[in-house]
Amino acid sequence: MSLTPKENNLPLTKFESMLKTNSVYFFDSIEFEEIIHYYIDSGKISLAKKAILLGLKQHPNSILLKLLRAELMIFDGEFDEAASLLKELQAIEPTNEEIYVQQASIFSKKDKHQQAIDALKIALLYTDDEADILAMIGMEYLFLDNFDEARLNFAKCLKVDFDDYSSLYNVIYCFDMQSQHKEAIEYLNEYIDKDPYSEVAWHQLGRQYFILENYTEALRAFDYAVLIDESFVGAYLEKAKTLEQLKEYAEAIENYKITIDLDDPTSFVYLRIGECYEKLHKATLAIQYYKKAVHEDPLLDKGWLAITELSIINKNYYKALFYINKAIEIDEKNSIYWRKYAEINLKLNFFEEAVRAFQNCILLQDFDIAIWVGLSDVLCYLGDYKDALINLKKASKVFKDFAELEYRLSGIYFKTNNFSKGKKHLITALTIDFEYHNEIKDLFPEVYKKQQILDIINDFKNTSF
């Protein structure tokens, strides 16, 4: 049995007294083993090493103490020295499983996972605890991305210990990594047939149905999970997410709130509750929970964005600007936030800031045509036709034969008295989409009023229709 600091344990007390007084006391090898394990478990590695050295002085032939020495060598990265010691021990005691487990540990740390597996398979021949060794083999196969073999070994663990939920999770993880969700469902149903009161299996079954978008079956599985274990926070969360997919927002909120009662609240849960209230058209409650989300996690940029969106809907543009700035402070590389920043600044007639926002979107490789068009329109409004023209020319290299760009190019050329280029782009635009020509009227009303422009449009209409 391992020692604990609360125990009135004479060997540990005697050992620490020996270290303080430089006296020498005798301990049997089992006592040394317990002392060493206590220090390792407590993270007191230097004391564990002292105990091993003293232990080997008193018991130079102890295999157990030498194995503990090898374990600490591996911990310190002294792989060659540990391997040499383990080889000596193997010659002395070839049926000791722990030797092969430690050899496997060295191979694994050197990324020689197949050799680690080979060593563990030898350990499996001599162990009384098959489940532990099988789980180690499974993990080594995971390192090799061999999910079939990993799954088979974790499944063997469950045959040895049916309640080994760690192995059950790993079996399902292997199915997930291969996108074998139907096979996972079949496996879980077989498991549930043997143990219908396994809340973990029901929870995992619900997850698989959720991934396959079979929300009705997912909900049924999560219902069983929380029925079996009324304090299963993860199952309530998944149930709530499923109810959202089924558009049962009020019930989803109830389940999210249960998780808050059972465990510490999280920003994720507050955010989800806020979104559910928003979908129920309860904006006041939605904002209340979004604010709780960002209070819980001030770096939750999605929370700041959600408050921004509702502020825009409520036409509280100054508040929206404050909140979107919070999101940008957290993630200035997110073009969605800069788009929203541009939208808000346009509403507030802060055109220079809108220009900066659109330019940042382009710098972030957001090449949506709406960005180019928005930038050129604001530049034109500010009278900066030169930069607007440069921007539109860049856009036309990305978006060829787009009427939105051609009409704007023609308008700028007409506006800057370059009639020939203006006419060329106008005819191109009319050819692409004649019905869209009112764009000139909206963006460049003084250009549209010119008889020469109207003549080009009418001539095109008469010859083309």
Side-chain angles (χ1 to χ4, degrees):
M1 184 178 73
S2 297
L3 305 179
T4 68
K6 292 182 180 180
E7 292 179 61
N8 183 19
N9 194 288
L10 290 175
L12 181 61
T13 305
K14 192 167 76 170
F15 180 79
E16 293 191 345
S17 172
M18 182 180 75
L19 293 179
K20 290 175 183 176
T21 61
N22 289 323
S23 304
V24 177
Y25 303 136
F26 180 82
F27 301 87
D28 64 38
S29 61
I30 301 299
E31 287 176 325
F32 267 118
E33 184 188 359
E34 289 179 347
I35 291 166
I36 294 160
H37 275 302
Y38 168 75
Y39 285 135
I40 291 173
D41 292 342
S42 303
K44 298 176 179 178
I45 304 303
S46 60
L47 285 172
K49 289 178 181 177
K50 282 184 181 179
I52 287 172
L53 289 174
L54 289 168
L56 285 171
K57 279 184 181 179
Q58 293 187 10
H59 307 280
N61 297 320
S62 171
I63 301 293
L64 287 174
L65 294 177
K66 288 181 180 179
L67 280 170
L68 285 169
R69 186 183 180 195
E71 184 179 333
L72 288 182
M73 285 178 175
I74 295 169
F75 180 82
D76 287 338
E78 299 170 358
F79 300 138
D80 292 339
E81 295 88 337
S84 178
L85 176 57
L86 290 168
K87 194 171 182 181
E88 291 175 16
L89 296 177
Q90 184 181 348
I92 299 167
E93 202 170 291
T95 61
N96 189 322
E97 66 176 282
E98 184 61 26
I99 294 169
Y100 303 102
V101 168
Q102 291 202 28
Q103 286 176 337
S105 177
I106 294 170
F107 286 129
S108 185
K109 289 178 185 297
K110 289 183 172 183
D111 292 329
K112 296 179 179 179
H113 299 295
Q114 186 55 57
Q115 287 172 268
I117 290 165
D118 294 339
L120 289 167
K121 284 182 176 177
I122 297 172
L124 198 58
L125 298 174
Y126 304 118
T127 188
D128 293 325
D129 192 353
E130 288 185 33
D132 273 359
I133 306 297
L134 288 166
M136 291 180 201
I137 294 172
M139 291 305 298
E140 294 301 322
Y141 276 120
L142 282 183
F143 287 130
L144 292 171
D145 290 337
N146 187 337
F147 299 109
D148 284 329
E149 285 297 328
R151 177 169 47 78
L152 286 171
N153 278 278
F154 289 126
K156 286 178 184 176
C157 291
L158 287 165
K159 288 181 180 177
V160 176
D161 180 2
F162 193 72
D163 295 325
D164 180 2
Y165 286 145
S166 176
S167 290
L168 180 60
Y169 282 123
N170 282 323
V171 167
I172 304 308
Y173 173 78
C174 292
F175 280 125
D176 280 342
M177 293 303 294
Q178 294 178 294
S179 298
Q180 295 179 343
H181 305 297
K182 290 180 180 177
E183 291 84 349
I185 287 170
E186 184 180 342
Y187 183 90
L188 286 163
N189 276 320
E190 288 177 3
Y191 187 97
I192 288 167
D193 284 342
K194 296 174 186 174
D195 182 7
Y197 296 103
S198 170
E199 71 277 16
V200 171
W202 281 111
H203 174 250
Q204 290 297 304
L205 182 62
R207 279 188 60 257
Q208 297 304 313
Y209 279 124
F210 187 94
I211 291 167
L212 294 176
E213 299 181 3
N214 187 341
Y215 301 120
T216 303
E217 285 299 315
L219 183 61
R220 186 178 75 89
F222 294 134
D223 274 334
Y224 276 116
V226 298
L227 190 66
I228 296 164
D229 182 357
E230 293 180 353
S231 62
F232 195 165
V233 174
Y236 282 113
L237 277 174
E238 299 288 353
K239 182 182 174 183
K241 285 163 61 180
T242 306
L243 287 162
E244 279 193 71
Q245 294 296 327
L246 293 168
K247 304 190 187 308
E248 299 288 346
Y249 302 117
E251 199 176 340
I253 290 168
E254 287 178 18
N255 280 272
Y256 281 128
K257 286 182 176 179
I258 290 171
T259 70
I260 295 171
D261 293 335
L262 291 172
D263 201 358
D264 292 333
T266 65
S267 58
F268 170 81
V269 168
Y270 283 141
L271 186 66
R272 298 311 312 159
I273 293 173
E275 290 193 13
C276 288
Y277 275 127
E278 188 174 347
K279 286 168 183 172
L280 290 170
H281 307 293
K282 295 182 178 181
T284 304
L285 284 168
I287 288 179
Q288 180 184 326
Y289 276 90
Y290 288 146
K291 286 183 176 178
K292 285 184 178 185
V294 294
H295 177 76
E296 192 70 32
D297 180 6
L299 297 179
L300 183 69
D301 46 335
K302 290 179 181 177
W304 293 114
L305 179 64
I307 304 172
T308 301
E309 297 276 15
L310 280 178
S311 298
I312 292 171
I313 291 170
N314 293 330
K315 298 185 179 179
N316 293 326
Y317 300 119
Y318 282 100
K319 283 187 176 181
L321 186 60
F322 173 79
Y323 295 129
I324 197 62
N325 271 313
K326 290 283 190 181
I328 289 170
E329 284 172 15
I330 296 163
D331 184 5
E332 63 180 12
K333 303 295 185 185
N334 192 319
S335 69
I336 292 172
Y337 302 160
W338 285 110
R339 281 186 182 219
K340 199 59 61 179
Y341 184 80
E343 178 188 342
I344 296 163
N345 279 288
L346 286 173
K347 295 288 186 183
L348 292 169
N349 294 329
F350 297 161
F351 299 111
E352 288 83 1
E353 284 302 305
V355 167
R356 184 169 76 91
F358 286 130
Q359 288 172 337
N360 276 327
C361 287
I362 292 168
L363 287 172
L364 293 168
Q365 308 294 305
D366 185 350
F367 294 146
D368 191 315
I369 192 169
I371 302 297
W372 298 97
V373 167
L375 176 56
S376 67
D377 288 351
V378 179
L379 288 169
C380 286
Y381 183 85
L382 293 171
D384 192 350
Y385 298 111
K386 181 182 177 182
D387 281 349
L389 194 59
I390 292 169
N391 167 66
L392 287 168
K393 284 181 177 178
K394 287 179 181 177
S396 61
K397 290 178 181 178
V398 180
F399 301 95
K400 298 186 183 300
D401 301 325
F402 271 71
E404 297 97 314
L405 302 179
E406 295 297 329
Y407 279 116
R408 284 169 170 79
L409 283 165
S410 71
I412 292 173
Y413 279 123
F414 285 131
K415 186 78 178 174
T416 55
N417 299 314
N418 192 333
F419 185 83
S420 60
K421 284 191 176 181
K423 181 179 178 180
K424 175 189 171 187
H425 283 285
L426 178 55
I427 290 171
T428 301
L430 291 166
T431 305
I432 297 167
D433 188 345
F434 178 83
E435 299 300 327
Y436 200 66
H437 73 268
N438 281 330
E439 194 74 1
I440 291 185
K441 184 178 180 180
D442 295 335
L443 292 170
F444 306 98
E446 69 285 357
V447 169
Y448 188 80
K449 290 176 185 176
K450 291 182 179 180
Q451 191 59 47
Q452 292 169 298
I453 310 306
L454 292 171
D455 288 343
I456 294 169
I457 294 170
N458 288 326
D459 288 344
F460 182 90
K461 183 179 181 180
N462 292 332
T463 57
S464 301
F465 294 94

